[in-house]
Structure formats: structure tokens, C-alpha cells
Amino acid sequence: MHDSFPHALELAKAGYNPFALIYRPSDPYTDLAIAIAFIFANSKELEVDTTDYLLWGGSAGARMVAKIGSYGLLPYGYDLPKPNTVIMQYTGLEDYNKAGEVQTFACVGRNDYIANWQVMQRRINNLKALGVNTEFHIYDGLVMGLV
């Protein structure tokens, strides 16, 4: 909540339709899949366009959005498109799907105690080697609060 809601508020001010997910720690990936499926099923009532949707996440949320970006929603029982883009903040994750990834933006702090920037750089380099459009930023200090 400490980072999702402020980001969602700024996106809403810019005219986008953001959603923030409060998930169960015991099954976060399923909760994200259910939320995405709900948005797709109710897009008219919610007045949102699901074309080329983005998934954003920080820390554990970044791992969640990356997994959906890597493997899609079918493993959770939903035959829906992958996101167009994944935006990941302050996490270290090396896993990726050689069979298909979505474009990825990632940022991490050089001195982040949550995420080692070198781990994320390896993932981004692997995605680039697959021909995936990527962008990676390393900030001095920490990403959260840019301390």
C-alpha cells in the first residue's frame, strides 16, 4: 500500500485507469490473476480499455507482475493476453521465460537492501539477448524514497 496507492493516484491524475491490489501473501500470483480476469470481465462497467495493459509492481509485487509477464494467465485458468509491458521496481529476480517475454522496464537502487541491482541487470541482459525491448535504471541509494 505504501507504494501502490501513491503510484495509482498519480496515474489517475494523468488520465489512466490504475488498480492497486492487496493480495494474500499465501497466494499472491493467483490473486493477481483473479484481479486481471475481473478487470477484463468487467471492463465495460469499469470503463477501462484492456488493450496493451501494463503491470507495475515493487518488491514482491514486481516478482508477481514479472511472472504474469513471463508465463501469462493460463497457468491460473484464464485465457487472456499477457500484459504489453511489465514495470518492476526494487526487486532481484533472475527467472525469465525463454519462450516469450514482454517488454520490461526495471529500476533498483545501487545500495538497496531488498534487491541486488546486479541480479536484476542479469535478468534484463537475458531479456535483451532474446530481443525483448527493455530499459534498466540503477539509482544511487535506494529506489523506495530514493534515499
Side-chain angles (χ1 to χ4, degrees), residues 72-144:
L73 295 162
L74 204 51
Y76 306 95
Y78 302 104
D79 189 13
L80 295 170
K82 286 182 178 183
N84 174 275
T85 304
V86 165
I87 300 169
M88 306 172 65
Q89 298 173 295
Y90 62 95
T91 197
L93 178 68
E94 289 187 86
D95 179 58
Y96 65 99
N97 182 358
K98 293 178 184 176
E101 283 285 343
V102 300
Q103 58 186 351
T104 301
F105 172 92
C107 62
V108 67
R110 189 173 312 280
N111 299 322
D112 199 321
Y113 55 89
I114 294 174
N116 182 316
W117 65 271
Q118 294 164 319
V119 172
M120 186 53 68
Q121 185 159 38
R122 278 193 297 274
R123 182 176 198 272
I124 293 298
N125 289 343
N126 287 329
L127 297 184
K128 279 184 182 180
L130 293 174
V132 175
N133 186 23
T134 64
E135 190 170 327
F136 182 52
H137 295 266
I138 305 167
Y139 300 99
D140 289 332
L142 310 174
V143 170
M144 233 171 82

Side-chain angles (χ1 to χ4, degrees), residues 1-107:
M1 290 179 15
H2 62 278
D3 56 352
S4 298
F5 288 123
H7 285 126
L9 178 61
E10 292 304 313
L11 288 167
K13 287 178 186 177
Y16 295 98
N17 298 300
F19 296 86
L21 177 65
I22 299 174
Y23 56 87
R24 296 170 295 166
S26 62
D27 203 0
Y29 302 100
T30 299
D31 288 349
L32 179 56
I34 291 168
I36 294 167
F38 177 86
I39 293 167
F40 268 82
N42 297 282
S43 62
K44 287 182 183 171
E45 293 84 22
L46 295 169
E47 299 180 10
V48 298
D49 182 359
T50 57
T51 307
D52 293 332
Y53 71 100
L54 312 175
L55 290 179
W56 294 33
S59 193
R63 292 168 176 266
M64 292 163 54
V65 302
K67 187 169 184 176
I68 299 297
S70 295
Y71 302 101
L73 295 162
L74 204 51
Y76 306 95
Y78 302 104
D79 189 13
L80 295 170
K82 286 182 178 183
N84 174 275
T85 304
V86 165
I87 300 169
M88 306 172 65
Q89 298 173 295
Y90 62 95
T91 197
L93 178 68
E94 289 187 86
D95 179 58
Y96 65 99
N97 182 358
K98 293 178 184 176
E101 283 285 343
V102 300
Q103 58 186 351
T104 301
F105 172 92
C107 62

